[in-house]
Amino acid sequence: MTIFVQIASYRDPQLIPTIKDMLDNAKYPENLRLGICRQYHPDDKFDDLTEYENDERFRILNVLYSASTGVCWARNQVQQLYDGETYTLQIDSHMRFEKDWDETLINMLKGLQEDGYKKPLLTGYVSSYDPDNDPEGRVTEPWRMVFDRFTPEGVVFFLPEVIPGWKELTKPIRTRFYSAHFCFTLGEFSLEVQHDPEYYFHGEEISIAVRAFTHGYDLFHPHRIVLYHEYTRKGRTKQWDDDKTWYLKNNTSHSKNRKVLGIDGEKYEDDLKYGFGKERTIRDYEKYSGILFERRSVQQYTIDKKYPPNPYYYLSEGEWKETFLRVFKHCIDLPLNKLTEDDYDFMVVAFHNKQDETLHRQDMFESEIVSLRSDTSGFGKIWREFNTNEKPAYWVVWPHSKSKGWCDRLVGDL
C-alpha cells in the first residue's frame, strides 16, 4: 500500500528537515512516493534536494521562484505527479511527524471505511510545533476546525481549537472543513479534486471542502495527534514577499471563489475545469455544514460548534433559509497618520449599507483608542463582529477630540 505525499515548498528552510522527519518516523518508508514542487531561489542553499535525485521514491519539480504563481498553482503541479498510489497525503513543507504516522493514518481510514464511509478524508489544522524548540515546543492536544467568519471578500475563515473530550475518543470526528496543510485520503483524490491553479491562497480551503464533499468524500479530523505544523513561518520568505503583483492574483482568486460558490448570488458562467462532483450538490454541503454561501450566513448550530451534519427537518427551503444568521466580522485597518490629535475621547465606529443606513455601531472610548494608537505597524486595527442580513457597503470611523470637537470623518469601502 503506497502513499503519494504531496509537498509544495516555497524557499523553505524546513523542507529538508520535514522530509527527513517524515522518513525517519514512517513505519514503511519504502512505500512512500514523494511529489515535491520546490520553488527555489538560486541564492538559497537550505532546500537543495540533490541527495534525493536518484531516490526512486522522489518526483521533484524544481521551479525558479519567479515562475511561481502561488501555492494553489504549486499544489496543482504536484498533483500531476500522481501515479496510482493507494493513498495520498498532502502537507506543507514545515511539518513534524509522530512515530509510525503512516500506519496510524491508514488504520484510521480503514476503520472509517468499515463504518460505512466509502471515501473518508482526514484533514484539519493539526497541532503546532516550534522548529526552534522541538520537540519541547509541540502542542500535545489534537485540534479541530470551527467556523470563524466570512471575510469581506467572501471567504469562510476557520479557527483551531482543542477537540473537546479527545482523550475519551476512539475514532476520528466529523468536520465541515478542509485544511490544505494536512489531507490524507484515497489516492484517486489527487485526480478527482485537484487544486485550481487560478486560486491564489484564501478561498482554497473552503472551495476544496465543498468540492470534496460533492465528489462523495466525508470529512473527518483525527482524534489523535499524528503530525504537527508550524504556523508562523517567522522570518521566512513567502511567495507574496517576492511577487510584486501578488494582489492581482489574489483579487482574481477572490472573484472566482465568489462565483464558484455563489457567494452574494454571484455566478460562474463558464464550464468549471476544477468543479464539483455528481454524488452531492453544493446545497447538500450547505445543509450538512450549516453555511449558506449566497447570504454569507451560518446556522446557530454551527456557531455553537456542534458536530455535523446539521439537523434538517424543515418543510420548505424558505423555512430552512430563515434559520441562518449572517455573521459579519471585519478588521478595519485604520491609517494612524490620519489621527492627528492627542486628546480623542471617543470615536464613532459604524458600518453602513449602500443606502447610507447604519447596520451596526459600536463606538470606541479612551482605553481602546490608546491601544489602537500603540500599534507600531502604522495601522490601528479595529475589530467588529455583528449579525446582519445585509452586506455592509462601507465603514465609518469618526473621531471626537476634547479640544476640537468632531474631526475628519474616515471612510473605507468594503
Side-chain angles (χ1 to χ4, degrees):
M1 292 181 291
T2 52
I3 301 176
F4 175 56
V5 182
Q6 307 177 44
I7 305 176
S9 173
Y10 189 87
R11 302 186 62 185
D12 191 352
Q14 286 298 315
L15 172 60
I16 292 177
T18 294
I19 293 171
K20 291 185 180 297
D21 197 71
M22 176 198 307
L23 296 175
D24 288 345
N25 285 295
K27 185 165 186 176
Y28 303 105
E30 67 276 9
N31 291 339
L32 304 183
R33 304 292 182 267
L34 283 76
I36 303 172
C37 182
R38 170 182 167 258
Q39 300 151 89
Y40 72 96
H41 192 289
D43 295 339
D44 296 338
K45 305 302 178 187
F46 46 67
D47 60 348
D48 185 354
L49 297 178
T50 302
E51 64 177 297
Y52 299 111
E53 287 180 351
N54 296 321
D55 191 323
E56 294 182 352
R57 296 173 297 177
F58 283 75
R59 304 159 195 167
I60 301 170
L61 299 174
N62 289 306
V63 178
L64 188 65
Y65 77 103
S66 56
S68 171
T69 61
V71 66
C72 295
W73 172 86
R75 295 197 204 281
N76 179 275
Q77 294 293 302
V78 173
Q79 288 172 323
Q80 311 316 309
L81 303 176
Y82 174 69
D83 192 28
E85 285 78 17
T86 315
Y87 303 103
T88 187
L89 169 69
Q90 180 172 287
I91 58 171
D92 279 351
S93 51
H94 28 277
M95 311 285 286
R96 294 295 183 268
F97 297 78
E98 284 287 290
K99 192 68 176 173
D100 297 338
W101 62 267
D102 49 342
E103 182 179 62
T104 300
L105 289 175
I106 290 173
N107 287 341
M108 283 187 187
L109 213 66
K110 285 184 174 181
L112 291 169
Q113 288 179 314
E114 291 170 359
D115 288 343
Y117 299 101
K118 182 180 177 182
K119 298 163 71 173
L121 185 154
L122 295 167
T123 188
Y125 286 171
V126 299
S127 303
S128 66
Y129 83 100
D130 180 357
D132 297 324
N133 182 32
D134 190 56
E136 290 76 15
R138 296 182 180 185
V139 170
T140 58
E141 299 169 307
W143 291 350
R144 64 175 180 171
M145 298 166 69
V146 297
F147 175 83
D148 179 25
R149 68 189 191 276
F150 276 92
T151 69
E153 296 82 7
V155 175
V156 178
F157 270 16
F158 329 107
L159 288 173
E161 68 172 26
V162 175
I163 296 174
W166 65 271
K167 291 182 180 179
E168 286 72 46
L169 296 176
T170 59
K171 295 181 180 181
I173 59 172
R174 300 291 294 271
T175 181
R176 301 168 175 85
F177 305 125
Y178 169 92
S179 165
H181 78 237
F182 165 61
C183 166
F184 183 79
T185 187
L186 307 177
E188 54 262 34
F189 185 78
S190 304
L191 300 177
E192 288 185 318
V193 190
Q194 294 194 345
H195 282 258
D196 187 335
E198 290 187 354
Y199 274 64
Y200 184 67
F201 187 65
H202 290 145
E204 166 193 35
E205 293 181 322
I206 187 59
S207 66
I208 293 289
V210 179
R211 290 176 54 212
F213 190 83
T214 64
H215 278 276
Y217 289 87
D218 289 296
L219 310 176
F220 292 87
H221 291 324
H223 59 297
R224 297 286 183 267
I225 294 178
V226 187
L227 65 171
Y228 304 84
H229 179 256
E230 187 208 354
Y231 288 87
T232 66
R233 295 196 67 202
K234 54 189 176 184
R236 298 173 177 86
T237 305
K238 288 82 169 174
Q239 196 274 340
W240 51 82
D241 294 324
D242 290 328
D243 188 345
K244 303 308 178 186
T245 62
W246 69 270
Y247 59 92
L248 297 176
K249 302 178 182 68
N250 194 46
N251 291 341
T252 298
S253 178
H254 281 309
S255 176
K256 186 170 188 178
N257 188 61
R258 287 193 298 271
K259 293 175 181 177
V260 167
L261 296 180
I263 294 168
D264 298 333
E266 294 191 31
K267 294 183 179 180
Y268 195 80
E269 302 297 339
D270 300 327
D271 292 335
L272 277 172
K273 179 178 179 181
Y274 302 95
F276 303 104
K278 299 183 183 301
E279 296 192 37
R280 298 174 179 137
T281 65
I282 296 180
R283 183 65 89 218
D284 289 333
Y285 176 82
E286 291 176 319
K287 290 176 179 177
Y288 168 83
S289 66
I291 294 173
L292 186 60
F293 293 111
E294 65 194 65
R295 296 185 181 178
R296 300 182 185 228
S297 54
V298 61
Q299 288 179 325
Q300 189 65 49
Y301 188 92
T302 301
I303 294 173
D304 290 341
K305 306 175 185 178
K306 296 180 181 179
Y307 291 113
N310 284 35
Y312 187 85
Y313 45 81
Y314 307 101
L315 297 177
S316 68
E317 186 164 288
E319 182 184 5
W320 169 70
K321 286 184 177 181
E322 291 305 312
T323 66
F324 283 83
L325 301 171
R326 176 170 285 187
V327 180
F328 185 84
K329 185 175 182 180
H330 183 68
C331 179
I332 299 172
D333 288 320
L334 192 71
L336 294 180
N337 60 7
K338 299 290 186 180
L339 303 180
T340 57
E341 306 302 324
D342 295 324
D343 62 343
Y344 296 116
D345 53 354
F346 74 92
M347 297 183 186
V348 171
V349 180
F351 292 82
H352 299 265
N353 61 16
K354 293 179 180 179
Q355 291 74 41
D356 298 321
E357 298 168 331
T358 302
L359 299 178
H360 178 76
R361 176 173 168 177
Q362 182 183 341
D363 296 342
M364 298 178 64
F365 295 92
E366 290 188 62
S367 61
E368 190 177 1
I369 294 171
V370 170
S371 176
L372 173 80
R373 302 187 75 174
S374 66
D375 196 304
T376 59
S377 68
F379 289 87
K381 299 185 183 301
I382 306 174
W383 283 98
R384 292 294 184 263
E385 180 177 358
F386 54 96
N387 296 331
T388 176
N389 288 321
E390 184 177 359
K391 179 188 174 185
Y394 63 95
W395 55 259
V396 172
V397 175
W398 198 351
H400 184 274
S401 163
K402 294 178 182 177
S403 60
K404 295 187 177 181
W406 291 107
C407 301
D408 290 339
R409 188 171 178 261
L410 307 174
V411 179
D413 291 332
L414 293 168

